Amino acid sequence: MSELTDARYPFTAVVGMDDLRLGLLLNAVSPAVGGVLVRGEKGTAKSTMVRALAGLLPSIATVAGCRFACDPLAPDAQCPDGPHAGEGSAERPAFLVELPVGVSEDRVVGSLDLERALAEGVKAYEPGLLAKAHRGVLYIDEVNLLQDHLVDLLLDAAAMGRSYVEREGVSVRHAARFLLVGTMNPEEGELRPQLLDRFGLTVEIAATRDADERAEVVRRRLAYDADPAGFATSWAAREQELAERIGTARELLPSVELSDLALRQITAVCAAFEVDGLRADIVMARTAVALAAWAGRTEVLEEDVRKAAQLALPHRRRRNPFDAPGLDQDQLDRTLAEHQDPGDEDPDGDGPDDGGPGDGGPGGGGSPAPSGPDEPAATGSSEDAPAAPPQQRPGGTKASSPVAADRPYRTRLFKVDGTGRGAQGRRSPAETDAGHTVRARRPQGRLTRLHLSATLRAAAPHQVARGRAGRALVLRRDDLREQVRRGRESNLVLFVVDASGSMAARQRMTAVKGAVLSLLMDAYQRRDKIGMVTFRGSGAELALPPTSSVEVGAARLEQLPTGGRTPLEAGLLRAHEVLRVERLRDPDRRALLVVVTDGRATGARDALVRSHRAAGLLAAQGVAAVVLDCESGPVRLGLARELATHLNGDAVSLDELRADGVAALVRETRSTMTRTTTRKAA
């Protein structure tokens, strides 16, 4: 075990969170499990526990001087620092490498060593964070906020155990096997399903509501803050004991037998929950084997299969985008019971023992992991779930009961015109850190993305005049060029929803809510932030401040009441204020305003004129806008389309919102044009 010289918070001193503890330890025993995704609210010690795990991992032997941590007993044949033959070895702790949210691709995978390339005229590779994490831990805090192309790259490396670098004339392959741990707060947005699937296990955590347990957490934290080194020393014996248990389980792992019965149970459970592909089956098998080794057994039991399913399947089951991961325990019990060994059935018909996989500690059937003195067990109940917020009723207007939304559907794409510079996403064109390189330019401020070929072309004509001698290139600051990359950005999609009496017909409001829910799903898939302003009665309210949690927006929409007058002006003015504040907070994130209304305005005598004046205020600020026209019936006034004109935006009916409807219109138009062209040619 590595020494506690840095006095990190001890792993065994963390109170509760048995599933997280177990998930991390199983990966320490068998890195082939594929890592852990930790989902939980802020302030639940997710990062503390992950960082503490690094102190428990056994030290590793490396080839002396190898930047890629090659094992002296089995060096990587493709190591860029190789071949290794007859070189000495050195021992060091396994590294914990933290990946910041704003990291660049060059820093992750490595890149051309520009200093040597320009000074010596040679191609040399500078390793990135993946090389540093080899045979250690790669920790990604707030993984759901990481740019998608980086997440793809990281998880591919984790799945294959190797990093491939093909860039700027450099072609490198090197080993990259690490324990991958990601933490995230679901309120800030979800990962895409295909990325969730790349994490072996997932653990959901929440702060305990037990007063004694919370007091113990605070007590230990205060003791650590007062004397970090002394606190770490007091837990050193327990840390050493747990580290030795990890080593013992690693040695036992190759001897664990996965019987045909256990394998059939694993595959039956995966089939019952309709998970896509076979990765879940493989991860469950590896997890069950690791559980057996952790418990000190050489045979996988049903309790191991059960616990493996609880850790490996929740994030892989098929679900709607706004549903939280979870597992139906009754269905799991039924499936396991249907595939039991007939000789194991209870002759008395009493069912399985009360002792489940959690008995005896987080090992599941074995002795508990070492813990602090009198450490309480983690608790949880349905009472932990937060109650739904009470309905706001502006102006004291009586509201009708909320109606359910139609099923969501794929919508047409709305985007902000022009080229932005916002965060990476999938909606509007933008100059981004990712994306494809479209041109080179002189640096604007600090140089961050060197365009090598453009820099060389700029310097080449001046080499004779600068007295170049030898292979080294003579560069001046004026020669430097930076890359301009074109991709797509995420936007702030602000919904302004009319919840007045004119929208209150149940069938109509069901369709409107279905349309807004579909747009929310589109925002989720395009990595947007969303906000929601509603207006009814005598005023407007900010029902959802701008956030990355689209799930919260869906929940607020579901509970939206209707009734009362139509203060359209108030809704637009409130939207103007929200956008003004957000521009100060995040000036690079452009906004898309989606107004959901039939265009009517009531209240003052000149309510409609005042509403158009408020719309002009938004248009003057250059806000991109779309009006979702909810007017229905045989007689239509066209007020929503008139509002869109004052907003300098587009008006779209509910029927025109559907992507399949737009596609059908395009096909029909193309067909008509083809027939016209044919007739003219004839």
Side-chain angles (χ1 to χ4, degrees):
M1 186 185 76
S2 62
E3 298 295 329
L4 293 170
T5 53
D6 57 354
R8 64 166 57 91
Y9 196 92
F11 187 88
T12 50
V14 177
V15 178
M17 296 195 293
D18 288 348
D19 279 348
L20 175 55
R21 185 194 309 273
L22 178 59
L24 293 172
L25 291 174
L26 291 178
N27 275 273
V29 170
S30 175
V33 166
V36 186
L37 176 64
V38 187
R39 297 165 46 91
E41 58 196 24
K42 55 186 176 293
T44 48
K46 301 186 297 293
S47 301
T48 298
M49 186 168 261
V50 174
R51 294 187 179 104
L53 177 69
L56 300 173
L57 299 179
S59 57
I60 60 174
T62 65
V63 174
C66 178
R67 297 173 298 168
F68 300 86
C70 278
D71 186 344
L73 301 180
D76 180 11
Q78 295 181 311
C79 177
D81 285 355
H84 300 299
E87 300 181 26
S89 64
E91 189 166 312
R92 65 163 176 80
F95 288 155
L96 170 70
V97 177
E98 295 194 40
L99 202 71
V101 171
V103 69
S104 67
E105 184 176 347
D106 291 347
R107 187 72 185 97
V108 175
V109 299
S111 62
L112 181 68
D113 188 333
L114 294 177
E115 183 177 349
R116 294 191 61 190
L118 298 177
E120 303 174 22
V122 299
K123 288 197 298 185
Y125 173 66
E126 183 177 3
L129 295 177
L130 290 182
K132 186 176 181 181
H134 180 46
R135 302 174 68 194
V137 181
L138 183 65
Y139 172 44
I140 314 171
D141 194 13
E142 305 294 353
V143 64
N144 52 325
L145 302 183
L146 201 64
Q147 295 182 12
D148 286 342
H149 75 287
L150 292 180
V151 177
D152 287 333
L153 186 154
L154 290 167
L155 298 182
D156 282 342
M160 296 184 294
R162 186 164 291 276
S163 176
Y164 296 84
V165 185
E166 301 284 347
R167 55 188 303 128
E168 297 166 344
V170 174
S171 180
V172 172
R173 292 172 173 80
H174 66 81
R177 293 184 298 274
F178 43 78
L179 169 55
L180 177 65
V181 182
T183 58
M184 60 175 284
N185 182 352
E187 293 180 355
E188 296 175 335
E190 286 281 2
L191 282 173
R192 289 180 289 142
Q194 56 267 47
L195 301 184
L196 280 171
D197 186 54
R198 293 300 184 90
F199 282 95
L201 311 179
T202 186
V203 177
E204 192 91 22
I205 62 173
T208 177
R209 300 297 187 261
D210 182 86
D212 292 336
E213 190 169 350
R214 294 173 76 98
E216 183 62 22
V217 172
V218 175
R219 186 178 298 112
R220 294 185 187 182
R221 184 69 207 191
L222 293 177
Y224 172 78
D225 291 340
D227 183 10
F231 186 83
T233 300
S234 67
W235 289 86
R238 298 178 184 87
E239 294 282 286
Q240 182 67 38
E241 183 181 349
L242 186 56
E244 291 173 355
R245 186 179 176 189
I246 292 174
T248 301
R250 280 187 171 186
E251 295 175 358
L252 184 61
L253 189 68
S255 304
V256 176
E257 178 186 356
L258 180 64
S259 65
D260 288 342
L261 173 62
L263 182 56
R264 283 198 302 274
Q265 286 184 318
I266 289 171
T267 55
V269 167
C270 291
F273 283 97
E274 298 182 340
V275 296
D276 294 325
L278 293 173
R279 183 177 283 119
D281 307 61
I282 296 171
V283 171
M284 266 192 69
R286 290 171 174 168
T287 305
V289 169
L291 279 162
W294 178 248
R297 289 185 269 101
T298 58
E299 180 184 3
V300 174
L301 304 180
E302 181 179 313
E303 62 192 52
D304 300 321
V305 175
R306 181 188 305 274
K307 192 62 182 179
Q310 293 170 347
L311 293 172
L313 294 188
H315 60 303
R316 291 188 168 91
R317 69 173 181 82
R318 292 186 178 180
R319 58 191 177 94
N320 291 325
F322 302 134
D323 293 341
L327 209 62
D328 187 333
Q329 296 298 323
D330 292 337
Q331 184 180 0
L332 176 60
D333 292 341
R334 287 194 303 270
T335 305
L336 291 175
E338 291 170 1
H339 294 81
Q340 282 182 336
D341 187 339
D344 291 340
E345 292 182 359
D346 188 352
D348 298 328
D350 294 333
D353 259 342
D354 289 337
D359 290 355
S367 58
S371 60
D374 302 324
E375 180 175 325
T379 60
S381 70
S382 60
E383 296 177 356
D384 293 348
Q391 296 297 336
Q392 300 278 341
R393 301 187 176 181
T397 304
K398 184 177 181 180
S400 62
S401 60
V403 298
D406 268 348
R407 293 187 62 180
Y409 47 83
R410 190 166 63 92
T411 67
R412 56 186 287 188
L413 170 62
F414 299 104
K415 58 186 179 182
V416 181
D417 292 336
T419 303
R421 301 177 61 88
Q424 179 76 9
R426 303 192 193 98
R427 184 172 295 277
S428 303
E431 292 182 5
T432 62
D433 291 335
H436 60 283
T437 301
V438 293
R439 59 187 177 89
R441 68 184 178 194
R442 295 180 185 274
Q444 297 181 350
R446 182 175 176 270
L447 177 64
T448 56
R449 300 185 300 272
L450 179 71
H451 196 299
L452 183 59
S453 60
T455 298
L456 297 178
R457 287 196 301 270
H462 309 292
Q463 295 306 295
V464 175
R466 294 173 183 174
R468 174 182 174 183
R471 301 177 62 184
L473 197 67
V474 181
L475 286 178
R476 300 287 185 266
R477 179 176 294 277
D478 193 53
D479 299 329
L480 298 178
R481 299 293 184 271
E482 68 178 2
Q483 300 176 23
V484 177
R485 297 181 182 176
R486 182 66 55 84
R488 290 191 176 273
E489 66 178 359
S490 64
N491 298 112
L492 167 61
V493 182
L494 181 62
F495 293 90
V496 181
V497 181
D498 185 347
S500 65
S502 66
M503 302 279 288
R506 297 186 70 84
Q507 183 176 1
R508 183 180 177 193
M509 199 61 194
T510 295
V512 169
K513 282 190 174 183
V516 178
L517 189 62
S518 302
L519 289 167
L520 282 171
M521 183 183 295
D522 182 69
Y524 162 78
Q525 294 168 341
R526 300 185 188 281
R527 313 295 288 179
D528 293 319
K529 290 181 69 175
I530 59 123
M532 188 180 300
V533 172
T534 63
F535 59 93
R536 50 176 293 273
S538 60
E541 64 167 329
L542 181 59
L544 179 67
T547 175
S548 297
S549 179
V550 181
E551 296 85 349
V552 177
R556 298 288 172 87
L557 176 68
E558 192 69 23
Q559 298 301 319
L560 179 66
T562 58
R565 294 182 176 181
T566 312
L568 178 57
E569 179 196 13
L572 296 174
L573 290 177
R574 188 62 187 271
H576 180 270
E577 177 62 18
V578 171
L579 294 178
R580 185 190 66 81
V581 173
E582 286 302 307
R583 275 195 297 270
L584 295 175
R585 291 176 176 170
D586 189 355
D588 288 335
R589 187 183 294 272
R590 298 188 294 166
L592 175 64
L593 184 70
V594 179
V595 184
V596 184
T597 182
D598 56 11
R600 289 180 171 85
T602 59
R605 173 176 295 181
D606 58 346
L608 195 59
V609 175
R610 295 165 65 96
S611 300
H612 291 166
R613 196 175 299 153
L617 188 62
L618 285 160
Q621 297 295 321
V623 177
V626 174
V627 177
L628 186 56
D629 185 358
C630 303
E631 193 174 25
S632 61
V635 179
R636 304 195 180 191
L637 303 178
L639 295 177
R641 296 185 179 274
E642 186 178 350
L643 175 64
T645 301
H646 287 278
L647 284 167
N648 284 343
D650 297 324
V652 179
S653 68
L654 292 177
D655 293 335
E656 293 170 338
L657 181 64
R658 292 178 179 269
D660 51 2
V662 174
L665 178 62
V666 171
R667 288 193 296 268
E668 181 181 349
T669 303
R670 285 179 175 173
S671 177
T672 303
M673 293 175 64
T674 302
R675 289 195 300 270
T676 303
T677 304
T678 302
R679 285 197 300 269
K680 287 182 178 180

